[in-house]
Amino acid sequence: MNLIQRFLPLLLFLGISTLAKSCTPKDEDGTPNEPITEIKFTTKTEKLTVKVDTLYSAFQNPWGMTWIGDGKMLVTERKGEILIFKDDKYTGQKVQGLPAVYANGQAGLLDITVHPDFAQNGWIYIAYAKPVPGGGATTVARFKLNGNTVASFEDLIVTTPAWNGGTHYGSRIVFDNQKFLYFTNGERGSQNNAQNLTNSHGKVHRIHDDGRIPADNPFVNTANAVPSIWTYGNRNPQGMIYDQANNRIWSVEHGPKGGDELNLIEKGKNYGWPVITYGQNYNGTPITNITEKEGMEQPVKYWVPSIATCGMTLVTSDKYPAWKGNILVAALAGTHISRVEMNGTKATGEEKLLPGIGRVRQVSQSPDGFIYAITEGTGLLIKLLPAS
């Protein structure tokens, strides 16, 4: 029995997707999912009725997506592949000539995005775990495409120190209005890294689009500090988005057992991990006995229990008027998309969208204003269409 036959009664009766198959809560390499030929359904949310269109169903561990014009979209697989889609269909082709990745647990090929001037310069940016002596290193690189083949590849920044393990590599990439590049890097599961300015881990970083360090970064004149650091005290931020209209950067990061956070990312600030947190160790013991401390930022929103926050997008499209200004957050353990209502920099409400759709790794708004999401476990690429 295929997935359509198995779940069609629920799809018809409930009007929502319940596609999630049993999957482990850890980020482990999966196997190809049972093919789904086509699933489309309509679901009524609190403020908007949307049609959900399944465009693809055979991902293993998808991570990031971006659009490169001419109807083409690129989606990364953590094992080191970039799949090429055109006009919402998989072409059967993959980008050729990519570097080897350190594929270990949560490490591998991660985010992908294009330069703000991509139409003029053709630069595509990736975050990946680079194999280095001693293990892996979260690395930001850029390249161009000659047909489907990588050209002009260059690493821009390699985080330090190398790490032998597959835990908490981040990573997301965004550009701001001045074309500075920001990327996230997890603390590798070693808590004290996040407060230590002499290493790259547990931080958000800022560089020029060619890898140079901006002269006005907050710690460029601090002795022994990594000069690319923009913020610190971040546990494992796997989501980040730039609000162009308001010149704001938002990030979500994984808490331990509880304590996932939505943060407003601002220059030089300390986001507290592991000194303050709303979470606890996985065995139920406390990490700390405080949730606030002077000089450390409070999250704009936090989740207890954890939903395992991942990719995110800000809805700016007129295609979803009732959601405009909301932040959509991918939930891995929650197997849904969290719609967070915002009033300026305050979170005022939340709704769970598409519960059971799978471990949502990323949710993105395309250049033409439509919302897409990719999932693990169920292996889906879905597109949300406003119902007429």
Side-chain angles (χ1 to χ4, degrees):
M1 178 182 293
N2 65 31
L3 281 178
I4 295 178
Q5 294 170 324
R6 189 182 308 162
F7 291 107
L8 185 58
L10 283 173
L11 290 171
L12 293 175
F13 178 70
L14 297 175
I16 63 173
S17 175
T18 53
L19 296 175
K21 292 190 273 186
S22 176
C23 57
T24 64
K26 297 180 180 178
D27 286 314
E28 298 174 346
D29 287 338
T31 55
N33 299 291
E34 184 179 355
I36 301 172
T37 55
E38 182 178 278
I39 288 182
K40 299 180 181 180
F41 62 93
T42 299
T43 182
K44 186 175 182 179
T45 71
E46 290 177 4
K47 293 189 174 180
L48 192 67
T49 300
V50 293
K51 296 178 181 178
V52 180
D53 191 358
T54 299
L55 307 176
Y56 185 70
S57 62
F59 287 128
Q60 295 180 37
N61 300 104
W63 227 97
M65 56 181 139
T66 196
W67 288 262
I68 59 172
D70 194 29
K72 287 186 177 179
M73 177 174 62
L74 306 178
V75 181
T76 59
E77 280 271 14
R78 199 171 61 220
K79 63 184 176 182
E81 297 178 342
I82 299 177
L83 281 61
I84 303 171
F85 292 76
K86 183 173 173 58
D87 299 328
D88 288 344
K89 294 180 175 61
Y90 178 45
T91 63
Q93 299 174 321
K94 299 172 184 177
V95 171
Q96 303 299 308
L98 289 166
V101 301
Y102 178 72
N104 181 356
Q106 297 167 22
L109 179 54
L110 304 172
D111 205 16
I112 185 167
T113 194
V114 296
H115 191 279
D117 297 329
F118 173 79
Q120 289 75 46
N121 62 32
W123 284 118
I124 299 169
Y125 291 74
I126 56 171
Y128 75 107
K130 179 183 178 70
V132 296
T138 300
T139 300
V140 173
R142 68 178 181 178
F143 62 90
K144 298 183 181 183
L145 283 177
N146 181 4
N148 293 338
T149 302
V150 169
S152 304
F153 184 92
E154 54 182 328
D155 287 329
L156 302 181
I157 185 168
V158 181
T159 60
T160 56
W163 210 263
N164 184 16
T167 302
H168 298 182
Y169 277 71
S171 176
R172 293 288 170 191
I173 308 169
V174 299
F175 284 91
D176 70 9
N177 285 333
Q178 296 178 286
K179 301 171 189 175
F180 288 107
L181 182 157
Y182 301 78
F183 71 96
T184 66
N185 185 30
E187 36 76 291
R188 302 298 191 270
S190 184
Q191 296 177 359
N192 291 333
N193 280 343
Q195 293 293 322
N196 183 354
L197 295 178
T198 68
N199 72 57
S200 301
H201 308 317
K203 319 289 195 303
V204 175
H205 297 262
R206 177 184 185 244
I207 59 175
H208 285 287
D209 61 358
D210 60 1
R212 290 177 296 118
I213 303 299
D216 62 343
N217 271 8
F219 303 106
V220 290
N221 297 317
T222 301
N224 301 318
V226 174
S228 59
I229 294 172
W230 187 250
T231 69
Y232 63 111
N234 305 101
R235 184 174 182 266
N236 187 30
Q238 287 193 347
M240 188 164 57
I241 191 71
Y242 178 64
D243 177 356
Q244 291 182 315
N246 296 294
N247 192 29
R248 296 176 185 143
I249 295 176
W250 293 100
S251 177
V252 286
E253 65 179 71
H254 289 274
K257 186 177 181 181
D260 295 349
E261 296 181 359
L262 169 65
N263 287 310
L264 180 63
I265 297 298
E266 296 182 309
K267 180 179 180 177
K269 291 190 174 179
N270 181 351
Y271 289 82
W273 176 257
V275 180
I276 59 172
T277 180
Y278 289 91
Q280 58 186 344
N281 287 308
Y282 292 107
N283 64 7
T285 60
I287 294 169
T288 175
N289 61 358
I290 57 173
T291 56
E292 298 182 27
K293 186 175 181 179
E294 185 177 356
M296 296 182 176
E297 299 303 302
Q298 282 292 295
V300 171
K301 177 180 173 60
Y302 64 90
W303 286 266
V304 176
S306 292
I307 62 171
T309 54
C310 200
M312 63 193 299
T313 197
L314 175 69
V315 181
T316 61
S317 171
D318 291 332
K319 299 182 187 301
Y320 312 87
W323 292 356
K324 200 166 184 179
N326 295 177
I327 294 175
L328 303 182
V329 179
L332 292 165
T335 66
H336 67 271
I337 298 171
S338 173
R339 182 180 65 83
V340 181
E341 296 179 348
M342 302 297 299
N343 181 6
T345 59
K346 296 185 182 298
T348 59
E350 182 182 13
E351 179 187 12
K352 292 183 179 180
L353 305 177
L354 309 179
I357 195 71
R359 289 168 51 81
V360 185
R361 176 58 71 178
Q362 173 67 315
V363 54
S364 297
Q365 183 178 288
S366 68
D368 58 357
F370 289 101
I371 294 168
Y372 292 71
I374 49 180
T375 72
E376 295 178 339
T378 48
L380 304 179
L381 169 63
I382 61 171
K383 182 177 183 179
L384 277 60
L385 300 161
S388 57

